mmCIF file of all heavy atoms in Angstrom:
data_model
loop_
_atom_site.group_PDB
_atom_site.id
_atom_site.type_symbol
_atom_site.label_atom_id
_atom_site.label_comp_id
_atom_site.label_asym_id
_atom_site.label_seq_id
_atom_site.Cartn_x
_atom_site.Cartn_y
_atom_site.Cartn_z
ATOM 1 N N MET A 1 0.841 -1.210 0.000
ATOM 2 C CA MET A 1 0.000 0.000 0.000
ATOM 3 C C MET A 1 0.869 1.250 0.000
ATOM 4 O O MET A 1 1.771 1.392 0.805
ATOM 5 C CB MET A 1 -0.879 0.021 1.254
ATOM 6 C CG MET A 1 -2.141 -0.828 1.161
ATOM 7 S SD MET A 1 -3.256 -0.360 -0.138
ATOM 8 C CE MET A 1 -3.939 1.173 0.502
ATOM 9 N N GLN A 2 0.564 2.146 -0.894
ATOM 10 C CA GLN A 2 1.252 3.423 -0.943
ATOM 11 C C GLN A 2 0.307 4.525 -0.501
ATOM 12 O O GLN A 2 -0.869 4.515 -0.822
ATOM 13 C CB GLN A 2 1.692 3.715 -2.379
ATOM 14 C CG GLN A 2 3.192 3.531 -2.589
ATOM 15 C CD GLN A 2 3.627 4.155 -3.905
ATOM 16 O OE1 GLN A 2 2.800 4.430 -4.759
ATOM 17 N NE2 GLN A 2 4.896 4.375 -4.055
ATOM 18 N N CYS A 3 0.860 5.460 0.218
ATOM 19 C CA CYS A 3 0.054 6.610 0.613
ATOM 20 C C CYS A 3 -0.308 7.403 -0.632
ATOM 21 O O CYS A 3 0.556 7.726 -1.433
ATOM 22 C CB CYS A 3 0.853 7.476 1.587
ATOM 23 S SG CYS A 3 0.034 9.005 2.025
ATOM 24 N N TYR A 4 -1.574 7.695 -0.799
ATOM 25 C CA TYR A 4 -1.981 8.419 -2.005
ATOM 26 C C TYR A 4 -1.786 9.915 -1.860
ATOM 27 O O TYR A 4 -1.952 10.670 -2.802
ATOM 28 C CB TYR A 4 -3.425 8.081 -2.397
ATOM 29 C CG TYR A 4 -4.479 8.464 -1.382
ATOM 30 C CD1 TYR A 4 -4.935 9.772 -1.311
ATOM 31 C CD2 TYR A 4 -5.005 7.520 -0.509
ATOM 32 C CE1 TYR A 4 -5.904 10.130 -0.384
ATOM 33 C CE2 TYR A 4 -5.962 7.876 0.420
ATOM 34 C CZ TYR A 4 -6.417 9.173 0.477
ATOM 35 O OH TYR A 4 -7.362 9.515 1.406
ATOM 36 N N LEU A 5 -1.402 10.329 -0.657
ATOM 37 C CA LEU A 5 -1.188 11.760 -0.443
ATOM 38 C C LEU A 5 0.270 12.125 -0.712
ATOM 39 O O LEU A 5 0.566 13.000 -1.509
ATOM 40 C CB LEU A 5 -1.585 12.132 0.986
ATOM 41 C CG LEU A 5 -1.531 13.623 1.297
ATOM 42 C CD1 LEU A 5 -2.544 14.388 0.452
ATOM 43 C CD2 LEU A 5 -1.812 13.870 2.777
ATOM 44 N N CYS A 6 1.183 11.437 -0.046
ATOM 45 C CA CYS A 6 2.600 11.773 -0.207
ATOM 46 C C CYS A 6 3.343 10.727 -1.018
ATOM 47 O O CYS A 6 4.495 10.924 -1.374
ATOM 48 C CB CYS A 6 3.250 11.957 1.165
ATOM 49 S SG CYS A 6 3.443 10.422 2.096
ATOM 50 N N GLY A 7 2.718 9.598 -1.309
ATOM 51 C CA GLY A 7 3.335 8.584 -2.149
ATOM 52 C C GLY A 7 4.304 7.685 -1.408
ATOM 53 O O GLY A 7 4.956 6.845 -2.008
ATOM 54 N N SER A 8 4.417 7.859 -0.107
ATOM 55 C CA SER A 8 5.331 7.034 0.671
ATOM 56 C C SER A 8 4.827 5.603 0.787
ATOM 57 O O SER A 8 3.627 5.364 0.872
ATOM 58 C CB SER A 8 5.483 7.641 2.072
ATOM 59 O OG SER A 8 6.178 6.734 2.901
ATOM 60 N N GLY A 9 5.744 4.673 0.768
ATOM 61 C CA GLY A 9 5.362 3.278 0.951
ATOM 62 C C GLY A 9 5.487 2.855 2.396
ATOM 63 O O GLY A 9 5.234 1.715 2.752
ATOM 64 N N LYS A 10 5.914 3.784 3.232
ATOM 65 C CA LYS A 10 6.085 3.465 4.652
ATOM 66 C C LYS A 10 4.796 3.721 5.406
ATOM 67 O O LYS A 10 4.305 4.849 5.467
ATOM 68 C CB LYS A 10 7.185 4.358 5.253
ATOM 69 C CG LYS A 10 8.573 3.962 4.809
ATOM 70 C CD LYS A 10 9.584 4.677 5.669
ATOM 71 C CE LYS A 10 10.632 5.374 4.813
ATOM 72 N NZ LYS A 10 11.385 6.363 5.598
ATOM 73 N N ASN A 11 4.251 2.661 5.955
ATOM 74 C CA ASN A 11 3.044 2.823 6.754
ATOM 75 C C ASN A 11 2.883 1.608 7.645
ATOM 76 O O ASN A 11 3.594 0.619 7.506
ATOM 77 C CB ASN A 11 1.825 3.017 5.850
ATOM 78 C CG ASN A 11 1.723 1.938 4.803
ATOM 79 O OD1 ASN A 11 1.582 0.764 5.131
ATOM 80 N ND2 ASN A 11 1.796 2.313 3.538
ATOM 81 N N HIS A 12 1.993 1.710 8.556
ATOM 82 C CA HIS A 12 1.743 0.596 9.454
ATOM 83 C C HIS A 12 0.240 0.461 9.672
ATOM 84 O O HIS A 12 -0.514 1.407 9.463
ATOM 85 C CB HIS A 12 2.450 0.816 10.794
ATOM 86 C CG HIS A 12 2.063 2.092 11.474
ATOM 87 N ND1 HIS A 12 2.666 3.304 11.187
ATOM 88 C CD2 HIS A 12 1.125 2.346 12.415
ATOM 89 C CE1 HIS A 12 2.116 4.238 11.950
ATOM 90 N NE2 HIS A 12 1.173 3.705 12.695
ATOM 91 N N THR A 13 -0.157 -0.727 10.076
ATOM 92 C CA THR A 13 -1.580 -0.916 10.324
ATOM 93 C C THR A 13 -1.964 -0.211 11.611
ATOM 94 O O THR A 13 -1.173 -0.062 12.527
ATOM 95 C CB THR A 13 -1.925 -2.407 10.448
ATOM 96 O OG1 THR A 13 -1.070 -3.012 11.399
ATOM 97 C CG2 THR A 13 -1.771 -3.101 9.113
ATOM 98 N N ARG A 14 -3.172 0.193 11.640
ATOM 99 C CA ARG A 14 -3.648 1.005 12.741
ATOM 100 C C ARG A 14 -4.784 0.268 13.434
ATOM 101 O O ARG A 14 -5.562 -0.437 12.799
ATOM 102 C CB ARG A 14 -4.174 2.315 12.149
ATOM 103 C CG ARG A 14 -4.504 3.391 13.139
ATOM 104 C CD ARG A 14 -4.887 4.634 12.325
ATOM 105 N NE ARG A 14 -4.970 5.832 13.132
ATOM 106 C CZ ARG A 14 -6.072 6.203 13.787
ATOM 107 N NH1 ARG A 14 -7.144 5.469 13.718
ATOM 108 N NH2 ARG A 14 -6.081 7.309 14.488
ATOM 109 N N GLU A 15 -4.862 0.444 14.731
ATOM 110 C CA GLU A 15 -5.960 -0.165 15.474
ATOM 111 C C GLU A 15 -7.282 0.427 15.026
ATOM 112 O O GLU A 15 -7.376 1.601 14.699
ATOM 113 C CB GLU A 15 -5.788 0.099 16.972
ATOM 114 C CG GLU A 15 -4.633 -0.664 17.590
ATOM 115 C CD GLU A 15 -4.887 -2.159 17.587
ATOM 116 O OE1 GLU A 15 -6.019 -2.565 17.887
ATOM 117 O OE2 GLU A 15 -3.959 -2.907 17.273
ATOM 118 N N GLY A 16 -8.294 -0.394 15.042
ATOM 119 C CA GLY A 16 -9.600 0.121 14.678
ATOM 120 C C GLY A 16 -10.202 -0.675 13.537
ATOM 121 O O GLY A 16 -9.520 -1.422 12.854
ATOM 122 N N LYS A 17 -11.482 -0.501 13.394
ATOM 123 C CA LYS A 17 -12.189 -1.216 12.341
ATOM 124 C C LYS A 17 -13.053 -0.251 11.560
ATOM 125 O O LYS A 17 -13.535 0.743 12.079
ATOM 126 C CB LYS A 17 -13.081 -2.298 12.954
ATOM 127 C CG LYS A 17 -12.306 -3.497 13.439
ATOM 128 C CD LYS A 17 -13.266 -4.659 13.715
ATOM 129 C CE LYS A 17 -12.502 -5.901 14.126
ATOM 130 N NZ LYS A 17 -12.604 -6.179 15.551
ATOM 131 N N VAL A 18 -13.230 -0.609 10.314
ATOM 132 C CA VAL A 18 -14.146 0.162 9.486
ATOM 133 C C VAL A 18 -15.553 -0.311 9.792
ATOM 134 O O VAL A 18 -15.846 -1.496 9.701
ATOM 135 C CB VAL A 18 -13.834 -0.043 7.996
ATOM 136 C CG1 VAL A 18 -14.779 0.782 7.142
ATOM 137 C CG2 VAL A 18 -12.398 0.339 7.714
ATOM 138 N N ARG A 19 -16.371 0.618 10.160
ATOM 139 C CA ARG A 19 -17.720 0.266 10.591
ATOM 140 C C ARG A 19 -18.479 -0.543 9.552
ATOM 141 O O ARG A 19 -19.128 -1.525 9.843
ATOM 142 C CB ARG A 19 -18.481 1.561 10.909
ATOM 143 C CG ARG A 19 -19.874 1.348 11.445
ATOM 144 C CD ARG A 19 -20.564 2.687 11.537
ATOM 145 N NE ARG A 19 -20.375 3.422 10.292
ATOM 146 C CZ ARG A 19 -20.564 4.710 10.152
ATOM 147 N NH1 ARG A 19 -20.925 5.420 11.165
ATOM 148 N NH2 ARG A 19 -20.380 5.295 9.005
ATOM 149 N N ASP A 20 -18.403 -0.104 8.310
ATOM 150 C CA ASP A 20 -19.185 -0.754 7.259
ATOM 151 C C ASP A 20 -18.575 -2.067 6.809
ATOM 152 O O ASP A 20 -19.240 -2.893 6.207
ATOM 153 C CB ASP A 20 -19.316 0.176 6.053
ATOM 154 C CG ASP A 20 -20.147 1.398 6.397
ATOM 155 O OD1 ASP A 20 -20.914 1.321 7.377
ATOM 156 O OD2 ASP A 20 -20.037 2.405 5.704
ATOM 157 N N ASN A 21 -17.297 -2.234 7.065
ATOM 158 C CA ASN A 21 -16.630 -3.453 6.599
ATOM 159 C C ASN A 21 -15.430 -3.764 7.496
ATOM 160 O O ASN A 21 -14.318 -3.323 7.234
ATOM 161 C CB ASN A 21 -16.184 -3.267 5.146
ATOM 162 C CG ASN A 21 -15.736 -4.592 4.546
ATOM 163 O OD1 ASN A 21 -15.452 -5.556 5.269
ATOM 164 N ND2 ASN A 21 -15.664 -4.648 3.245
ATOM 165 N N PRO A 22 -15.663 -4.517 8.573
ATOM 166 C CA PRO A 22 -14.625 -4.793 9.573
ATOM 167 C C PRO A 22 -13.425 -5.550 9.026
ATOM 168 O O PRO A 22 -12.401 -5.623 9.682
ATOM 169 C CB PRO A 22 -15.366 -5.656 10.611
ATOM 170 C CG PRO A 22 -16.803 -5.392 10.386
ATOM 171 C CD PRO A 22 -16.949 -5.085 8.924
ATOM 172 N N SER A 23 -13.553 -6.102 7.836
ATOM 173 C CA SER A 23 -12.445 -6.883 7.283
ATOM 174 C C SER A 23 -11.400 -5.995 6.614
ATOM 175 O O SER A 23 -10.308 -6.438 6.287
ATOM 176 C CB SER A 23 -12.974 -7.909 6.285
ATOM 177 O OG SER A 23 -13.510 -7.266 5.162
ATOM 178 N N ILE A 24 -11.747 -4.735 6.413
ATOM 179 C CA ILE A 24 -10.797 -3.818 5.785
ATOM 180 C C ILE A 24 -9.811 -3.308 6.829
ATOM 181 O O ILE A 24 -10.196 -2.844 7.887
ATOM 182 C CB ILE A 24 -11.537 -2.635 5.136
ATOM 183 C CG1 ILE A 24 -12.437 -3.137 4.016
ATOM 184 C CG2 ILE A 24 -10.535 -1.624 4.594
ATOM 185 C CD1 ILE A 24 -13.218 -2.012 3.344
ATOM 186 N N LYS A 25 -8.553 -3.402 6.496
ATOM 187 C CA LYS A 25 -7.530 -2.918 7.416
ATOM 188 C C LYS A 25 -7.355 -1.415 7.281
ATOM 189 O O LYS A 25 -7.583 -0.838 6.218
ATOM 190 C CB LYS A 25 -6.187 -3.596 7.110
ATOM 191 C CG LYS A 25 -6.154 -5.044 7.536
ATOM 192 C CD LYS A 25 -4.770 -5.609 7.270
ATOM 193 C CE LYS A 25 -4.779 -7.117 7.421
ATOM 194 N NZ LYS A 25 -3.942 -7.756 6.415
ATOM 195 N N ILE A 26 -6.919 -0.824 8.368
ATOM 196 C CA ILE A 26 -6.659 0.607 8.370
ATOM 197 C C ILE A 26 -5.149 0.832 8.459
ATOM 198 O O ILE A 26 -4.474 0.225 9.281
ATOM 199 C CB ILE A 26 -7.366 1.289 9.555
ATOM 200 C CG1 ILE A 26 -8.865 1.012 9.494
ATOM 201 C CG2 ILE A 26 -7.083 2.782 9.562
ATOM 202 C CD1 ILE A 26 -9.610 1.503 10.729
ATOM 203 N N PHE A 27 -4.639 1.680 7.605
ATOM 204 C CA PHE A 27 -3.217 1.986 7.606
ATOM 205 C C PHE A 27 -2.988 3.441 7.978
ATOM 206 O O PHE A 27 -3.808 4.302 7.720
ATOM 207 C CB PHE A 27 -2.618 1.739 6.214
ATOM 208 C CG PHE A 27 -2.564 0.280 5.848
ATOM 209 C CD1 PHE A 27 -3.607 -0.316 5.169
ATOM 210 C CD2 PHE A 27 -1.459 -0.482 6.182
ATOM 211 C CE1 PHE A 27 -3.557 -1.663 4.828
ATOM 212 C CE2 PHE A 27 -1.401 -1.828 5.846
ATOM 213 C CZ PHE A 27 -2.451 -2.420 5.172
ATOM 214 N N GLU A 28 -1.811 3.676 8.566
ATOM 215 C CA GLU A 28 -1.430 5.055 8.856
ATOM 216 C C GLU A 28 -0.061 5.295 8.231
ATOM 217 O O GLU A 28 0.886 4.535 8.461
ATOM 218 C CB GLU A 28 -1.384 5.283 10.366
ATOM 219 C CG GLU A 28 -1.101 6.724 10.710
ATOM 220 C CD GLU A 28 -1.336 7.005 12.188
ATOM 221 O OE1 GLU A 28 -1.618 6.081 12.959
ATOM 222 O OE2 GLU A 28 -1.206 8.180 12.560
ATOM 223 N N CYS A 29 0.040 6.342 7.466
ATOM 224 C CA CYS A 29 1.287 6.672 6.791
ATOM 225 C C CYS A 29 2.327 7.131 7.798
ATOM 226 O O CYS A 29 2.045 7.966 8.666
ATOM 227 C CB CYS A 29 1.025 7.765 5.759
ATOM 228 S SG CYS A 29 2.513 8.313 4.903
ATOM 229 N N ASP A 30 3.534 6.584 7.700
ATOM 230 C CA ASP A 30 4.590 6.991 8.620
ATOM 231 C C ASP A 30 5.158 8.360 8.276
ATOM 232 O O ASP A 30 5.785 9.009 9.101
ATOM 233 C CB ASP A 30 5.729 5.961 8.577
ATOM 234 C CG ASP A 30 5.337 4.669 9.285
ATOM 235 O OD1 ASP A 30 4.372 4.692 10.062
ATOM 236 O OD2 ASP A 30 5.994 3.648 9.061
ATOM 237 N N GLU A 31 4.950 8.775 7.059
ATOM 238 C CA GLU A 31 5.535 10.037 6.620
ATOM 239 C C GLU A 31 4.636 11.231 6.933
ATOM 240 O O GLU A 31 5.076 12.214 7.499
ATOM 241 C CB GLU A 31 5.811 9.990 5.117
ATOM 242 C CG GLU A 31 6.847 8.955 4.712
ATOM 243 C CD GLU A 31 8.242 9.323 5.213
ATOM 244 O OE1 GLU A 31 8.520 10.521 5.374
ATOM 245 O OE2 GLU A 31 9.048 8.402 5.449
ATOM 246 N N CYS A 32 3.391 11.142 6.534
ATOM 247 C CA CYS A 32 2.517 12.306 6.687
ATOM 248 C C CYS A 32 1.388 12.069 7.687
ATOM 249 O O CYS A 32 0.661 12.981 8.036
ATOM 250 C CB CYS A 32 1.941 12.725 5.329
ATOM 251 S SG CYS A 32 0.722 11.588 4.670
ATOM 252 N N GLY A 33 1.266 10.823 8.150
ATOM 253 C CA GLY A 33 0.250 10.558 9.159
ATOM 254 C C GLY A 33 -1.142 10.342 8.614
ATOM 255 O O GLY A 33 -2.096 10.204 9.372
ATOM 256 N N LEU A 34 -1.249 10.322 7.307
ATOM 257 C CA LEU A 34 -2.562 10.096 6.708
ATOM 258 C C LEU A 34 -3.073 8.703 7.057
ATOM 259 O O LEU A 34 -2.324 7.738 7.037
ATOM 260 C CB LEU A 34 -2.461 10.234 5.184
ATOM 261 C CG LEU A 34 -3.770 9.990 4.439
ATOM 262 C CD1 LEU A 34 -4.682 11.203 4.584
ATOM 263 C CD2 LEU A 34 -3.514 9.724 2.969
ATOM 264 N N VAL A 35 -4.334 8.639 7.397
ATOM 265 C CA VAL A 35 -4.955 7.355 7.680
ATOM 266 C C VAL A 35 -5.776 6.951 6.468
ATOM 267 O O VAL A 35 -6.579 7.730 5.970
ATOM 268 C CB VAL A 35 -5.863 7.459 8.925
ATOM 269 C CG1 VAL A 35 -6.614 6.158 9.143
ATOM 270 C CG2 VAL A 35 -5.024 7.795 10.147
ATOM 271 N N PHE A 36 -5.526 5.758 5.984
ATOM 272 C CA PHE A 36 -6.262 5.312 4.811
ATOM 273 C C PHE A 36 -6.586 3.839 4.929
ATOM 274 O O PHE A 36 -6.033 3.124 5.764
ATOM 275 C CB PHE A 36 -5.496 5.612 3.522
ATOM 276 C CG PHE A 36 -4.084 5.051 3.498
ATOM 277 C CD1 PHE A 36 -3.817 3.868 2.837
ATOM 278 C CD2 PHE A 36 -3.057 5.721 4.122
ATOM 279 C CE1 PHE A 36 -2.522 3.359 2.794
ATOM 280 C CE2 PHE A 36 -1.752 5.223 4.097
ATOM 281 C CZ PHE A 36 -1.485 4.039 3.437
ATOM 282 N N LEU A 37 -7.479 3.405 4.075
ATOM 283 C CA LEU A 37 -7.963 2.043 4.146
ATOM 284 C C LEU A 37 -7.216 1.137 3.187
ATOM 285 O O LEU A 37 -6.599 1.585 2.241
ATOM 286 C CB LEU A 37 -9.461 2.011 3.816
ATOM 287 C CG LEU A 37 -10.324 2.927 4.662
ATOM 288 C CD1 LEU A 37 -11.766 2.824 4.212
ATOM 289 C CD2 LEU A 37 -10.188 2.606 6.129
ATOM 290 N N GLU A 38 -7.303 -0.154 3.482
ATOM 291 C CA GLU A 38 -6.625 -1.146 2.654
ATOM 292 C C GLU A 38 -7.086 -1.038 1.212
ATOM 293 O O GLU A 38 -6.295 -1.082 0.296
ATOM 294 C CB GLU A 38 -6.931 -2.534 3.210
ATOM 295 C CG GLU A 38 -6.184 -3.638 2.501
ATOM 296 C CD GLU A 38 -6.426 -4.965 3.178
ATOM 297 O OE1 GLU A 38 -7.507 -5.169 3.751
ATOM 298 O OE2 GLU A 38 -5.527 -5.807 3.149
ATOM 299 N N SER A 39 -8.366 -0.920 1.027
ATOM 300 C CA SER A 39 -8.874 -0.723 -0.324
ATOM 301 C C SER A 39 -8.721 0.740 -0.685
ATOM 302 O O SER A 39 -8.641 1.601 0.169
ATOM 303 C CB SER A 39 -10.346 -1.133 -0.406
ATOM 304 O OG SER A 39 -11.139 -0.147 0.188
ATOM 305 N N GLN A 40 -8.681 1.013 -1.962
ATOM 306 C CA GLN A 40 -8.501 2.400 -2.392
ATOM 307 C C GLN A 40 -9.783 3.193 -2.252
ATOM 308 O O GLN A 40 -9.795 4.391 -2.452
ATOM 309 C CB GLN A 40 -8.025 2.435 -3.854
ATOM 310 C CG GLN A 40 -6.625 1.883 -4.025
ATOM 311 C CD GLN A 40 -5.558 2.823 -3.459
ATOM 312 O OE1 GLN A 40 -5.854 3.960 -3.121
ATOM 313 N NE2 GLN A 40 -4.338 2.345 -3.341
ATOM 314 N N LYS A 41 -10.850 2.486 -1.943
ATOM 315 C CA LYS A 41 -12.124 3.181 -1.789
ATOM 316 C C LYS A 41 -12.178 3.858 -0.435
ATOM 317 O O LYS A 41 -12.447 3.234 0.576
ATOM 318 C CB LYS A 41 -13.272 2.176 -1.905
ATOM 319 C CG LYS A 41 -13.841 2.142 -3.314
ATOM 320 C CD LYS A 41 -14.821 1.014 -3.510
ATOM 321 C CE LYS A 41 -16.001 1.048 -2.568
ATOM 322 N NZ LYS A 41 -16.938 -0.050 -2.843
ATOM 323 N N THR A 42 -11.897 5.121 -0.391
ATOM 324 C CA THR A 42 -11.936 5.837 0.871
ATOM 325 C C THR A 42 -13.325 6.424 1.076
ATOM 326 O O THR A 42 -13.922 6.972 0.163
ATOM 327 C CB THR A 42 -10.901 6.967 0.893
ATOM 328 O OG1 THR A 42 -11.040 7.730 -0.288
ATOM 329 C CG2 THR A 42 -9.507 6.395 0.981
ATOM 330 N N SER A 43 -13.779 6.283 2.279
ATOM 331 C CA SER A 43 -15.109 6.777 2.590
ATOM 332 C C SER A 43 -15.020 8.119 3.301
ATOM 333 O O SER A 43 -14.298 8.277 4.263
ATOM 334 C CB SER A 43 -15.828 5.761 3.482
ATOM 335 O OG SER A 43 -16.885 6.382 4.150
ATOM 336 N N GLU A 44 -15.735 9.077 2.809
ATOM 337 C CA GLU A 44 -15.727 10.387 3.465
ATOM 338 C C GLU A 44 -16.275 10.273 4.872
ATOM 339 O O GLU A 44 -15.851 10.950 5.787
ATOM 340 C CB GLU A 44 -16.566 11.373 2.660
ATOM 341 C CG GLU A 44 -15.828 11.874 1.416
ATOM 342 C CD GLU A 44 -16.696 12.796 0.593
ATOM 343 O OE1 GLU A 44 -17.625 13.376 1.167
ATOM 344 O OE2 GLU A 44 -16.438 12.916 -0.611
ATOM 345 N N GLU A 45 -17.239 9.394 5.038
ATOM 346 C CA GLU A 45 -17.832 9.222 6.352
ATOM 347 C C GLU A 45 -16.812 8.700 7.355
ATOM 348 O O GLU A 45 -16.794 9.083 8.498
ATOM 349 C CB GLU A 45 -18.989 8.225 6.269
ATOM 350 C CG GLU A 45 -20.333 8.898 6.104
ATOM 351 C CD GLU A 45 -21.467 7.887 6.193
ATOM 352 O OE1 GLU A 45 -21.499 7.159 7.192
ATOM 353 O OE2 GLU A 45 -22.283 7.834 5.277
ATOM 354 N N PHE A 46 -15.946 7.829 6.889
ATOM 355 C CA PHE A 46 -14.927 7.256 7.744
ATOM 356 C C PHE A 46 -14.062 8.364 8.332
ATOM 357 O O PHE A 46 -13.805 8.409 9.520
ATOM 358 C CB PHE A 46 -14.074 6.276 6.956
ATOM 359 C CG PHE A 46 -12.845 5.833 7.688
ATOM 360 C CD1 PHE A 46 -12.940 4.909 8.729
ATOM 361 C CD2 PHE A 46 -11.601 6.343 7.355
ATOM 362 C CE1 PHE A 46 -11.809 4.516 9.415
ATOM 363 C CE2 PHE A 46 -10.467 5.925 8.042
ATOM 364 C CZ PHE A 46 -10.574 5.029 9.072
ATOM 365 N N TYR A 47 -13.628 9.280 7.507
ATOM 366 C CA TYR A 47 -12.771 10.345 7.990
ATOM 367 C C TYR A 47 -13.528 11.297 8.898
ATOM 368 O O TYR A 47 -13.009 11.778 9.890
ATOM 369 C CB TYR A 47 -12.171 11.109 6.803
ATOM 370 C CG TYR A 47 -11.144 10.297 6.066
ATOM 371 C CD1 TYR A 47 -11.418 9.713 4.851
ATOM 372 C CD2 TYR A 47 -9.881 10.087 6.637
ATOM 373 C CE1 TYR A 47 -10.485 8.932 4.191
ATOM 374 C CE2 TYR A 47 -8.947 9.314 5.981
ATOM 375 C CZ TYR A 47 -9.249 8.739 4.765
ATOM 376 O OH TYR A 47 -8.322 7.971 4.126
ATOM 377 N N LYS A 48 -14.759 11.527 8.544
ATOM 378 C CA LYS A 48 -15.567 12.429 9.332
ATOM 379 C C LYS A 48 -15.751 11.873 10.752
ATOM 380 O O LYS A 48 -15.575 12.577 11.730
ATOM 381 C CB LYS A 48 -16.927 12.613 8.647
ATOM 382 C CG LYS A 48 -17.659 13.859 9.074
ATOM 383 C CD LYS A 48 -18.784 14.218 8.102
ATOM 384 C CE LYS A 48 -19.635 13.023 7.722
ATOM 385 N NZ LYS A 48 -20.627 13.349 6.691
ATOM 386 N N ASP A 49 -16.066 10.588 10.818
ATOM 387 C CA ASP A 49 -16.313 9.965 12.092
ATOM 388 C C ASP A 49 -15.079 9.932 12.977
ATOM 389 O O ASP A 49 -15.151 9.901 14.191
ATOM 390 C CB ASP A 49 -16.811 8.521 11.904
ATOM 391 C CG ASP A 49 -18.206 8.496 11.323
ATOM 392 O OD1 ASP A 49 -18.817 9.570 11.259
ATOM 393 O OD2 ASP A 49 -18.675 7.428 10.942
ATOM 394 N N ASN A 50 -13.910 9.960 12.376
ATOM 395 C CA ASN A 50 -12.679 9.878 13.137
ATOM 396 C C ASN A 50 -12.039 11.259 13.340
ATOM 397 O O ASN A 50 -10.926 11.362 13.801
ATOM 398 C CB ASN A 50 -11.689 8.956 12.437
ATOM 399 C CG ASN A 50 -12.051 7.489 12.665
ATOM 400 O OD1 ASN A 50 -11.698 6.914 13.676
ATOM 401 N ND2 ASN A 50 -12.774 6.910 11.720
ATOM 402 N N GLY A 51 -12.742 12.281 12.962
ATOM 403 C CA GLY A 51 -12.244 13.620 13.168
ATOM 404 C C GLY A 51 -11.094 13.984 12.246
ATOM 405 O O GLY A 51 -10.359 14.912 12.526
ATOM 406 N N MET A 52 -10.942 13.234 11.189
ATOM 407 C CA MET A 52 -9.874 13.545 10.247
ATOM 408 C C MET A 52 -10.412 14.519 9.206
ATOM 409 O O MET A 52 -11.572 14.507 8.875
ATOM 410 C CB MET A 52 -9.415 12.279 9.513
ATOM 411 C CG MET A 52 -8.978 11.182 10.444
ATOM 412 S SD MET A 52 -7.361 11.477 11.152
ATOM 413 C CE MET A 52 -6.364 11.385 9.665
ATOM 414 N N CYS A 53 -9.517 15.329 8.692
ATOM 415 C CA CYS A 53 -9.979 16.214 7.646
ATOM 416 C C CYS A 53 -8.859 16.598 6.703
ATOM 417 O O CYS A 53 -7.865 17.027 7.114
ATOM 418 C CB CYS A 53 -10.600 17.478 8.220
ATOM 419 S SG CYS A 53 -12.073 17.956 7.316
HETATM 420 ZN ZN1 ZN B 1 1.713 9.879 3.443
#
């Protein structure tokens, strides 16, 4: 998985589950701190619920 914001390949899995699909892993970019999902389908609701913007 590459961060789609900064393009870094450095990231780690993050605690937590996606409400709509618990099987999707959550990653956090080590470079910019962006939190993104295993699938490229990012949900706006997901970020909203987690206070990300
Ligand atoms: Zn990044």
Side-chain angles (χ1 to χ4, degrees):
M1 279 300 288
Q2 254 194 343
C3 174
Y4 62 81
L5 185 64
C6 71
S8 170
K10 287 192 230 164
N11 52 62
H12 57 275
T13 52
R14 190 175 192 273
E15 290 293 318
K17 285 194 177 105
V18 181
R19 183 187 48 197
D20 294 339
N21 191 343
S23 66
I24 297 179
K25 287 183 191 141
I26 303 173
F27 291 92
E28 185 168 5
C29 177
D30 287 343
E31 296 292 332
C32 71
L34 179 76
V35 175
F36 55 99
L37 305 179
E38 185 175 31
S39 76
Q40 292 288 349
K41 264 171 58 178
T42 50
S43 160
E44 283 177 23
E45 265 187 54
F46 169 75
Y47 289 104
K48 200 163 46 186
D49 290 350
N50 283 276
M52 304 284 295
C53 221

